[in-house]
PDB file of all heavy atoms in Angstrom:
ATOM      1  N   GLN A   1       4.696  18.840  -4.996  1.00 75.00           N
ATOM      2  CA  GLN A   1       5.688  17.988  -4.437  1.00 75.00           C
ATOM      3  C   GLN A   1       5.054  16.701  -3.934  1.00 75.00           C
ATOM      4  O   GLN A   1       4.136  16.741  -3.173  1.00 75.00           O
ATOM      5  CB  GLN A   1       6.470  18.718  -3.331  1.00 75.00           C
ATOM      6  CG  GLN A   1       7.493  17.812  -2.556  1.00 75.00           C
ATOM      7  CD  GLN A   1       8.735  17.589  -3.421  1.00 75.00           C
ATOM      8  OE1 GLN A   1       9.180  18.476  -4.116  1.00 75.00           O
ATOM      9  NE2 GLN A   1       9.281  16.412  -3.352  1.00 75.00           N
ATOM     10  N   PHE A   2       5.649  15.524  -4.374  1.00 77.00           N
ATOM     11  CA  PHE A   2       5.044  14.244  -3.933  1.00 77.00           C
ATOM     12  C   PHE A   2       5.564  13.893  -2.474  1.00 77.00           C
ATOM     13  O   PHE A   2       6.795  13.815  -2.295  1.00 77.00           O
ATOM     14  CB  PHE A   2       5.366  13.191  -4.926  1.00 77.00           C
ATOM     15  CG  PHE A   2       4.856  11.754  -4.488  1.00 77.00           C
ATOM     16  CD1 PHE A   2       3.469  11.528  -4.503  1.00 77.00           C
ATOM     17  CD2 PHE A   2       5.711  10.820  -4.152  1.00 77.00           C
ATOM     18  CE1 PHE A   2       2.980  10.302  -4.115  1.00 77.00           C
ATOM     19  CE2 PHE A   2       5.195   9.507  -3.757  1.00 77.00           C
ATOM     20  CZ  PHE A   2       3.905   9.339  -3.831  1.00 77.00           C
ATOM     21  N   ASN A   3       4.704  13.705  -1.623  1.00 82.00           N
ATOM     22  CA  ASN A   3       5.078  13.322  -0.263  1.00 82.00           C
ATOM     23  C   ASN A   3       4.770  11.756  -0.152  1.00 82.00           C
ATOM     24  O   ASN A   3       3.651  11.400  -0.208  1.00 82.00           O
ATOM     25  CB  ASN A   3       4.224  14.086   0.775  1.00 82.00           C
ATOM     26  CG  ASN A   3       4.877  15.342   1.218  1.00 82.00           C
ATOM     27  OD1 ASN A   3       5.773  15.828   0.497  1.00 82.00           O
ATOM     28  ND2 ASN A   3       4.394  15.988   2.271  1.00 82.00           N
ATOM     29  N   GLN A   4       5.828  11.071   0.089  1.00 83.00           N
ATOM     30  CA  GLN A   4       5.730   9.603   0.199  1.00 83.00           C
ATOM     31  C   GLN A   4       4.828   9.139   1.347  1.00 83.00           C
ATOM     32  O   GLN A   4       4.942   9.698   2.451  1.00 83.00           O
ATOM     33  CB  GLN A   4       7.074   8.964   0.280  1.00 83.00           C
ATOM     34  CG  GLN A   4       7.925   9.204  -0.958  1.00 83.00           C
ATOM     35  CD  GLN A   4       9.248   8.536  -0.922  1.00 83.00           C
ATOM     36  OE1 GLN A   4       9.676   8.049   0.145  1.00 83.00           O
ATOM     37  NE2 GLN A   4      10.000   8.502  -2.021  1.00 83.00           N
ATOM     38  N   GLY A   5       4.008   8.107   1.089  1.00 83.00           N
ATOM     39  CA  GLY A   5       3.232   7.566   2.162  1.00 83.00           C
ATOM     40  C   GLY A   5       3.948   6.463   2.896  1.00 83.00           C
ATOM     41  O   GLY A   5       5.071   6.128   2.634  1.00 83.00           O
ATOM     42  N   PRO A   6       3.243   5.853   3.866  1.00 88.00           N
ATOM     43  CA  PRO A   6       3.898   4.742   4.736  1.00 88.00           C
ATOM     44  C   PRO A   6       4.281   3.510   3.905  1.00 88.00           C
ATOM     45  O   PRO A   6       4.991   2.660   4.451  1.00 88.00           O
ATOM     46  CB  PRO A   6       2.870   4.449   5.761  1.00 88.00           C
ATOM     47  CG  PRO A   6       1.629   4.973   5.234  1.00 88.00           C
ATOM     48  CD  PRO A   6       1.931   6.091   4.292  1.00 88.00           C
ATOM     49  N   ILE A   7       3.792   3.352   2.652  1.00 89.00           N
ATOM     50  CA  ILE A   7       4.188   2.172   1.841  1.00 89.00           C
ATOM     51  C   ILE A   7       5.667   2.199   1.552  1.00 89.00           C
ATOM     52  O   ILE A   7       6.270   1.170   1.196  1.00 89.00           O
ATOM     53  CB  ILE A   7       3.330   2.200   0.521  1.00 89.00           C
ATOM     54  CG1 ILE A   7       3.394   0.802  -0.143  1.00 89.00           C
ATOM     55  CG2 ILE A   7       3.839   3.265  -0.416  1.00 89.00           C
ATOM     56  CD1 ILE A   7       2.601  -0.254   0.472  1.00 89.00           C
ATOM     57  N   PHE A   8       6.341   3.371   1.657  1.00 89.00           N
ATOM     58  CA  PHE A   8       7.738   3.467   1.339  1.00 89.00           C
ATOM     59  C   PHE A   8       8.614   3.096   2.527  1.00 89.00           C
ATOM     60  O   PHE A   8       9.213   3.868   3.229  1.00 89.00           O
ATOM     61  CB  PHE A   8       8.082   4.884   0.878  1.00 89.00           C
ATOM     62  CG  PHE A   8       7.542   5.200  -0.462  1.00 89.00           C
ATOM     63  CD1 PHE A   8       6.274   5.733  -0.643  1.00 89.00           C
ATOM     64  CD2 PHE A   8       8.351   5.036  -1.609  1.00 89.00           C
ATOM     65  CE1 PHE A   8       5.817   6.007  -1.961  1.00 89.00           C
ATOM     66  CE2 PHE A   8       7.845   5.340  -2.884  1.00 89.00           C
ATOM     67  CZ  PHE A   8       6.583   5.812  -3.039  1.00 89.00           C
ATOM     68  N   ALA A   9       8.648   1.758   2.752  1.00 88.00           N
ATOM     69  CA  ALA A   9       9.438   1.185   3.826  1.00 88.00           C
ATOM     70  C   ALA A   9       9.856  -0.252   3.372  1.00 88.00           C
ATOM     71  O   ALA A   9       9.146  -0.801   2.518  1.00 88.00           O
ATOM     72  CB  ALA A   9       8.697   1.144   5.187  1.00 88.00           C
ATOM     73  N   ASN A  10      10.863  -0.777   3.992  1.00 88.00           N
ATOM     74  CA  ASN A  10      11.294  -2.130   3.630  1.00 88.00           C
ATOM     75  C   ASN A  10      10.270  -3.152   4.001  1.00 88.00           C
ATOM     76  O   ASN A  10       9.975  -4.153   3.297  1.00 88.00           O
ATOM     77  CB  ASN A  10      12.638  -2.529   4.346  1.00 88.00           C
ATOM     78  CG  ASN A  10      13.821  -1.665   3.731  1.00 88.00           C
ATOM     79  OD1 ASN A  10      14.398  -0.974   4.475  1.00 88.00           O
ATOM     80  ND2 ASN A  10      14.060  -1.777   2.495  1.00 88.00           N
ATOM     81  N   MET A  11       9.674  -2.923   5.260  1.00 88.00           N
ATOM     82  CA  MET A  11       8.687  -3.885   5.748  1.00 88.00           C
ATOM     83  C   MET A  11       7.492  -3.163   6.157  1.00 88.00           C
ATOM     84  O   MET A  11       7.523  -2.199   6.977  1.00 88.00           O
ATOM     85  CB  MET A  11       9.257  -4.667   6.908  1.00 88.00           C
ATOM     86  CG  MET A  11       8.509  -5.875   7.378  1.00 88.00           C
ATOM     87  SD  MET A  11       9.305  -6.913   8.611  1.00 88.00           S
ATOM     88  CE  MET A  11      10.467  -7.717   7.581  1.00 88.00           C
ATOM     89  N   VAL A  12       6.335  -3.387   5.603  1.00 89.00           N
ATOM     90  CA  VAL A  12       5.082  -2.773   5.839  1.00 89.00           C
ATOM     91  C   VAL A  12       4.100  -3.676   6.467  1.00 89.00           C
ATOM     92  O   VAL A  12       3.804  -4.736   5.823  1.00 89.00           O
ATOM     93  CB  VAL A  12       4.529  -2.066   4.524  1.00 89.00           C
ATOM     94  CG1 VAL A  12       3.207  -1.370   4.859  1.00 89.00           C
ATOM     95  CG2 VAL A  12       5.516  -1.078   3.913  1.00 89.00           C
ATOM     96  N   LEU A  13       3.539  -3.333   7.590  1.00 89.00           N
ATOM     97  CA  LEU A  13       2.494  -4.079   8.233  1.00 89.00           C
ATOM     98  C   LEU A  13       1.175  -3.443   7.845  1.00 89.00           C
ATOM     99  O   LEU A  13       0.831  -2.314   8.313  1.00 89.00           O
ATOM    100  CB  LEU A  13       2.662  -4.165   9.733  1.00 89.00           C
ATOM    101  CG  LEU A  13       1.561  -4.841  10.496  1.00 89.00           C
ATOM    102  CD1 LEU A  13       1.493  -6.374  10.164  1.00 89.00           C
ATOM    103  CD2 LEU A  13       1.756  -4.636  11.974  1.00 89.00           C
ATOM    104  N   ALA A  14       0.415  -4.197   7.035  1.00 88.00           N
ATOM    105  CA  ALA A  14      -0.929  -3.715   6.668  1.00 88.00           C
ATOM    106  C   ALA A  14      -1.953  -4.343   7.648  1.00 88.00           C
ATOM    107  O   ALA A  14      -2.453  -5.485   7.434  1.00 88.00           O
ATOM    108  CB  ALA A  14      -1.335  -4.137   5.236  1.00 88.00           C
ATOM    109  N   ASP A  15      -2.177  -3.683   8.739  1.00 86.00           N
ATOM    110  CA  ASP A  15      -2.989  -4.277   9.908  1.00 86.00           C
ATOM    111  C   ASP A  15      -4.458  -4.270   9.647  1.00 86.00           C
ATOM    112  O   ASP A  15      -5.121  -3.197   9.272  1.00 86.00           O
ATOM    113  CB  ASP A  15      -2.635  -3.529  11.133  1.00 86.00           C
ATOM    114  CG  ASP A  15      -2.623  -4.362  12.393  1.00 86.00           C
ATOM    115  OD1 ASP A  15      -2.911  -5.536  12.204  1.00 86.00           O
ATOM    116  OD2 ASP A  15      -2.272  -3.914  13.550  1.00 86.00           O
ATOM    117  N   GLU A  16      -5.082  -5.460   9.713  1.00 86.00           N
ATOM    118  CA  GLU A  16      -6.509  -5.644   9.411  1.00 86.00           C
ATOM    119  C   GLU A  16      -6.887  -5.143   8.095  1.00 86.00           C
ATOM    120  O   GLU A  16      -7.772  -4.226   7.955  1.00 86.00           O
ATOM    121  CB  GLU A  16      -7.349  -4.974  10.550  1.00 86.00           C
ATOM    122  CG  GLU A  16      -7.167  -5.669  11.932  1.00 86.00           C
ATOM    123  CD  GLU A  16      -8.199  -5.172  12.984  1.00 86.00           C
ATOM    124  OE1 GLU A  16      -8.045  -4.086  13.493  1.00 86.00           O
ATOM    125  OE2 GLU A  16      -9.133  -5.957  13.283  1.00 86.00           O
ATOM    126  N   ILE A  17      -6.234  -5.724   7.074  1.00 84.00           N
ATOM    127  CA  ILE A  17      -6.478  -5.227   5.720  1.00 84.00           C
ATOM    128  C   ILE A  17      -7.876  -5.438   5.242  1.00 84.00           C
ATOM    129  O   ILE A  17      -8.356  -4.666   4.341  1.00 84.00           O
ATOM    130  CB  ILE A  17      -5.530  -5.967   4.708  1.00 84.00           C
ATOM    131  CG1 ILE A  17      -5.474  -5.304   3.419  1.00 84.00           C
ATOM    132  CG2 ILE A  17      -5.813  -7.426   4.705  1.00 84.00           C
ATOM    133  CD1 ILE A  17      -4.418  -5.929   2.431  1.00 84.00           C
ATOM    134  N   ASN A  18      -8.603  -6.276   5.774  1.00 82.00           N
ATOM    135  CA  ASN A  18      -9.943  -6.576   5.316  1.00 82.00           C
ATOM    136  C   ASN A  18     -11.028  -5.550   5.990  1.00 82.00           C
ATOM    137  O   ASN A  18     -12.220  -5.663   5.782  1.00 82.00           O
ATOM    138  CB  ASN A  18     -10.371  -8.002   5.579  1.00 82.00           C
ATOM    139  CG  ASN A  18     -10.334  -8.396   7.039  1.00 82.00           C
ATOM    140  OD1 ASN A  18      -9.556  -7.820   7.851  1.00 82.00           O
ATOM    141  ND2 ASN A  18     -11.100  -9.341   7.499  1.00 82.00           N
ATOM    142  N   ARG A  19     -10.577  -4.548   6.704  1.00 84.00           N
ATOM    143  CA  ARG A  19     -11.407  -3.499   7.274  1.00 84.00           C
ATOM    144  C   ARG A  19     -11.483  -2.300   6.396  1.00 84.00           C
ATOM    145  O   ARG A  19     -12.284  -1.413   6.721  1.00 84.00           O
ATOM    146  CB  ARG A  19     -10.898  -3.120   8.623  1.00 84.00           C
ATOM    147  CG  ARG A  19     -11.150  -4.198   9.699  1.00 84.00           C
ATOM    148  CD  ARG A  19     -11.220  -3.581  11.098  1.00 84.00           C
ATOM    149  NE  ARG A  19     -11.654  -4.621  12.042  1.00 84.00           N
ATOM    150  CZ  ARG A  19     -12.860  -5.013  12.205  1.00 84.00           C
ATOM    151  NH1 ARG A  19     -13.848  -4.496  11.498  1.00 84.00           N
ATOM    152  NH2 ARG A  19     -13.124  -5.935  13.099  1.00 84.00           N
ATOM    153  N   THR A  20     -10.850  -2.280   5.250  1.00 83.00           N
ATOM    154  CA  THR A  20     -10.898  -1.112   4.376  1.00 83.00           C
ATOM    155  C   THR A  20     -11.512  -1.461   3.047  1.00 83.00           C
ATOM    156  O   THR A  20     -11.479  -2.595   2.599  1.00 83.00           O
ATOM    157  CB  THR A  20      -9.501  -0.569   4.150  1.00 83.00           C
ATOM    158  OG1 THR A  20      -9.518   0.883   3.725  1.00 83.00           O
ATOM    159  CG2 THR A  20      -8.752  -1.364   3.126  1.00 83.00           C
ATOM    160  N   PRO A  21     -12.219  -0.568   2.360  1.00 81.00           N
ATOM    161  CA  PRO A  21     -12.924  -0.915   1.101  1.00 81.00           C
ATOM    162  C   PRO A  21     -11.979  -1.284   0.032  1.00 81.00           C
ATOM    163  O   PRO A  21     -10.771  -0.951   0.018  1.00 81.00           O
ATOM    164  CB  PRO A  21     -13.693   0.485   0.831  1.00 81.00           C
ATOM    165  CG  PRO A  21     -13.759   1.205   2.085  1.00 81.00           C
ATOM    166  CD  PRO A  21     -12.545   0.814   2.867  1.00 81.00           C
ATOM    167  N   PRO A  22     -12.609  -1.948  -1.020  1.00 81.00           N
ATOM    168  CA  PRO A  22     -11.765  -2.454  -2.095  1.00 81.00           C
ATOM    169  C   PRO A  22     -10.854  -1.365  -2.837  1.00 81.00           C
ATOM    170  O   PRO A  22      -9.802  -1.678  -3.326  1.00 81.00           O
ATOM    171  CB  PRO A  22     -12.815  -2.994  -3.101  1.00 81.00           C
ATOM    172  CG  PRO A  22     -13.927  -3.407  -2.220  1.00 81.00           C
ATOM    173  CD  PRO A  22     -13.981  -2.391  -1.143  1.00 81.00           C
ATOM    174  N   LYS A  23     -11.379  -0.194  -2.936  1.00 80.00           N
ATOM    175  CA  LYS A  23     -10.661   0.915  -3.616  1.00 80.00           C
ATOM    176  C   LYS A  23      -9.249   1.115  -2.915  1.00 80.00           C
ATOM    177  O   LYS A  23      -8.199   1.271  -3.567  1.00 80.00           O
ATOM    178  CB  LYS A  23     -11.458   2.167  -3.610  1.00 80.00           C
ATOM    179  CG  LYS A  23     -10.777   3.401  -4.277  1.00 80.00           C
ATOM    180  CD  LYS A  23     -11.603   4.619  -4.210  1.00 80.00           C
ATOM    181  CE  LYS A  23     -10.867   5.820  -4.845  1.00 80.00           C
ATOM    182  NZ  LYS A  23     -11.707   6.992  -4.827  1.00 80.00           N
ATOM    183  N   THR A  24      -9.265   1.087  -1.607  1.00 81.00           N
ATOM    184  CA  THR A  24      -8.019   1.254  -0.846  1.00 81.00           C
ATOM    185  C   THR A  24      -7.145  -0.028  -0.844  1.00 81.00           C
ATOM    186  O   THR A  24      -5.927   0.059  -0.962  1.00 81.00           O
ATOM    187  CB  THR A  24      -8.330   1.718   0.596  1.00 81.00           C
ATOM    188  OG1 THR A  24      -9.215   2.839   0.513  1.00 81.00           O
ATOM    189  CG2 THR A  24      -7.051   2.033   1.350  1.00 81.00           C
ATOM    190  N   GLN A  25      -7.827  -1.179  -0.761  1.00 80.00           N
ATOM    191  CA  GLN A  25      -7.103  -2.466  -0.934  1.00 80.00           C
ATOM    192  C   GLN A  25      -6.353  -2.503  -2.214  1.00 80.00           C
ATOM    193  O   GLN A  25      -5.185  -2.960  -2.313  1.00 80.00           O
ATOM    194  CB  GLN A  25      -8.097  -3.623  -0.780  1.00 80.00           C
ATOM    195  CG  GLN A  25      -8.685  -3.796   0.624  1.00 80.00           C
ATOM    196  CD  GLN A  25      -9.691  -4.898   0.630  1.00 80.00           C
ATOM    197  OE1 GLN A  25      -9.984  -5.533  -0.420  1.00 80.00           O
ATOM    198  NE2 GLN A  25     -10.326  -5.157   1.765  1.00 80.00           N
ATOM    199  N   ALA A  26      -7.028  -2.008  -3.301  1.00 79.00           N
ATOM    200  CA  ALA A  26      -6.421  -2.078  -4.593  1.00 79.00           C
ATOM    201  C   ALA A  26      -5.163  -1.200  -4.690  1.00 79.00           C
ATOM    202  O   ALA A  26      -4.293  -1.472  -5.630  1.00 79.00           O
ATOM    203  CB  ALA A  26      -7.392  -1.668  -5.663  1.00 79.00           C
ATOM    204  N   ALA A  27      -5.044  -0.217  -3.883  1.00 77.00           N
ATOM    205  CA  ALA A  27      -3.818   0.668  -3.895  1.00 77.00           C
ATOM    206  C   ALA A  27      -2.547  -0.183  -3.620  1.00 77.00           C
ATOM    207  O   ALA A  27      -1.453   0.308  -3.962  1.00 77.00           O
ATOM    208  CB  ALA A  27      -4.041   1.770  -2.894  1.00 77.00           C
ATOM    209  N   LEU A  28      -2.740  -1.320  -2.963  1.00 79.00           N
ATOM    210  CA  LEU A  28      -1.631  -2.105  -2.578  1.00 79.00           C
ATOM    211  C   LEU A  28      -1.162  -3.021  -3.713  1.00 79.00           C
ATOM    212  O   LEU A  28      -0.018  -3.463  -3.831  1.00 79.00           O
ATOM    213  CB  LEU A  28      -1.959  -3.071  -1.472  1.00 79.00           C
ATOM    214  CG  LEU A  28      -2.037  -2.407  -0.029  1.00 79.00           C
ATOM    215  CD1 LEU A  28      -2.400  -3.487   0.975  1.00 79.00           C
ATOM    216  CD2 LEU A  28      -0.712  -1.840   0.394  1.00 79.00           C
ATOM    217  N   LEU A  29      -2.066  -3.234  -4.719  1.00 74.00           N
ATOM    218  CA  LEU A  29      -1.806  -4.172  -5.775  1.00 74.00           C
ATOM    219  C   LEU A  29      -0.576  -3.889  -6.596  1.00 74.00           C
ATOM    220  O   LEU A  29       0.314  -4.728  -6.794  1.00 74.00           O
ATOM    221  CB  LEU A  29      -3.019  -4.281  -6.713  1.00 74.00           C
ATOM    222  CG  LEU A  29      -4.122  -5.226  -6.317  1.00 74.00           C
ATOM    223  CD1 LEU A  29      -5.300  -5.125  -7.218  1.00 74.00           C
ATOM    224  CD2 LEU A  29      -3.604  -6.680  -6.310  1.00 74.00           C
ATOM    225  N   GLU A  30      -0.498  -2.630  -7.092  1.00 73.00           N
ATOM    226  CA  GLU A  30       0.673  -2.280  -7.926  1.00 73.00           C
ATOM    227  C   GLU A  30       1.957  -2.365  -7.111  1.00 73.00           C
ATOM    228  O   GLU A  30       2.983  -2.849  -7.566  1.00 73.00           O
ATOM    229  CB  GLU A  30       0.507  -0.863  -8.524  1.00 73.00           C
ATOM    230  CG  GLU A  30       1.667  -0.517  -9.389  1.00 73.00           C
ATOM    231  CD  GLU A  30       1.627   0.955  -9.844  1.00 73.00           C
ATOM    232  OE1 GLU A  30       1.090   1.774  -9.109  1.00 73.00           O
ATOM    233  OE2 GLU A  30       2.220   1.244 -10.898  1.00 73.00           O
ATOM    234  N   ALA A  31       1.900  -1.840  -5.899  1.00 80.00           N
ATOM    235  CA  ALA A  31       3.056  -1.867  -5.041  1.00 80.00           C
ATOM    236  C   ALA A  31       3.545  -3.281  -4.781  1.00 80.00           C
ATOM    237  O   ALA A  31       4.752  -3.524  -4.836  1.00 80.00           O
ATOM    238  CB  ALA A  31       2.666  -1.161  -3.719  1.00 80.00           C
ATOM    239  N   MET A  32       2.605  -4.224  -4.556  1.00 81.00           N
ATOM    240  CA  MET A  32       2.947  -5.557  -4.245  1.00 81.00           C
ATOM    241  C   MET A  32       3.578  -6.260  -5.455  1.00 81.00           C
ATOM    242  O   MET A  32       4.511  -7.042  -5.305  1.00 81.00           O
ATOM    243  CB  MET A  32       1.762  -6.382  -3.741  1.00 81.00           C
ATOM    244  CG  MET A  32       1.351  -5.928  -2.385  1.00 81.00           C
ATOM    245  SD  MET A  32      -0.300  -6.672  -1.962  1.00 81.00           S
ATOM    246  CE  MET A  32       0.085  -8.425  -1.918  1.00 81.00           C
ATOM    247  N   GLN A  33       3.046  -6.025  -6.637  1.00 79.00           N
ATOM    248  CA  GLN A  33       3.387  -6.742  -7.807  1.00 79.00           C
ATOM    249  C   GLN A  33       4.647  -6.007  -8.490  1.00 79.00           C
ATOM    250  O   GLN A  33       5.612  -6.709  -8.808  1.00 79.00           O
ATOM    251  CB  GLN A  33       2.261  -6.844  -8.807  1.00 79.00           C
ATOM    252  CG  GLN A  33       2.563  -7.788  -9.960  1.00 79.00           C
ATOM    253  CD  GLN A  33       2.689  -9.192  -9.579  1.00 79.00           C
ATOM    254  OE1 GLN A  33       2.198  -9.625  -8.533  1.00 79.00           O
ATOM    255  NE2 GLN A  33       3.275 -10.027 -10.412  1.00 79.00           N
ATOM    256  N   GLU A  34       4.553  -4.745  -8.670  1.00 79.00           N
ATOM    257  CA  GLU A  34       5.591  -4.059  -9.419  1.00 79.00           C
ATOM    258  C   GLU A  34       6.711  -3.444  -8.578  1.00 79.00           C
ATOM    259  O   GLU A  34       7.735  -2.946  -9.050  1.00 79.00           O
ATOM    260  CB  GLU A  34       4.890  -2.942 -10.236  1.00 79.00           C
ATOM    261  CG  GLU A  34       3.766  -3.345 -11.098  1.00 79.00           C
ATOM    262  CD  GLU A  34       4.196  -4.347 -12.162  1.00 79.00           C
ATOM    263  OE1 GLU A  34       5.369  -4.316 -12.593  1.00 79.00           O
ATOM    264  OE2 GLU A  34       3.296  -5.145 -12.615  1.00 79.00           O
ATOM    265  N   LYS A  35       6.432  -3.307  -7.303  1.00 83.00           N
ATOM    266  CA  LYS A  35       7.416  -2.749  -6.332  1.00 83.00           C
ATOM    267  C   LYS A  35       7.709  -1.292  -6.722  1.00 83.00           C
ATOM    268  O   LYS A  35       8.899  -0.811  -6.576  1.00 83.00           O
ATOM    269  CB  LYS A  35       8.729  -3.617  -6.259  1.00 83.00           C
ATOM    270  CG  LYS A  35       8.422  -4.955  -5.664  1.00 83.00           C
ATOM    271  CD  LYS A  35       9.596  -5.794  -5.366  1.00 83.00           C
ATOM    272  CE  LYS A  35       9.222  -7.154  -4.763  1.00 83.00           C
ATOM    273  NZ  LYS A  35      10.340  -8.013  -4.435  1.00 83.00           N
ATOM    274  N   LEU A  36       6.661  -0.583  -7.149  1.00 84.00           N
ATOM    275  CA  LEU A  36       6.764   0.834  -7.353  1.00 84.00           C
ATOM    276  C   LEU A  36       5.417   1.457  -7.240  1.00 84.00           C
ATOM    277  O   LEU A  36       4.365   0.764  -7.179  1.00 84.00           O
ATOM    278  CB  LEU A  36       7.382   1.154  -8.749  1.00 84.00           C
ATOM    279  CG  LEU A  36       6.717   0.587 -10.008  1.00 84.00           C
ATOM    280  CD1 LEU A  36       5.549   1.429 -10.458  1.00 84.00           C
ATOM    281  CD2 LEU A  36       7.797   0.544 -11.101  1.00 84.00           C
ATOM    282  N   VAL A  37       5.347   2.792  -7.080  1.00 83.00           N
ATOM    283  CA  VAL A  37       4.116   3.527  -6.979  1.00 83.00           C
ATOM    284  C   VAL A  37       4.023   4.467  -8.091  1.00 83.00           C
ATOM    285  O   VAL A  37       5.033   5.155  -8.400  1.00 83.00           O
ATOM    286  CB  VAL A  37       4.049   4.284  -5.635  1.00 83.00           C
ATOM    287  CG1 VAL A  37       2.921   5.315  -5.693  1.00 83.00           C
ATOM    288  CG2 VAL A  37       3.832   3.251  -4.478  1.00 83.00           C
TER     289      VAL A  37
END
């Protein structure tokens, strides 16, 4: 069963985004561009 993460909200605050490695930063790319996961 897929359990949705915190990205599933109308407004998402990615606080201090530059503190996480590129692999995790890249997880936002598809969501930002395609608006799906």
Side-chain angles (χ1 to χ4, degrees):
Q1 176 73 37
F2 180 68
N3 273 16
Q4 296 181 349
I7 194 77
F8 287 87
N10 294 118
M11 192 171 286
V12 178
L13 177 64
D15 217 354
E16 293 191 284
I17 190 174
N18 57 336
R19 288 206 172 277
T20 201
K23 181 180 180 180
T24 306
Q25 290 175 0
L28 287 177
L29 275 174
E30 183 188 28
M32 290 170 65
Q33 190 68 19
E34 306 299 334
K35 298 190 177 178
L36 57 81
V37 165

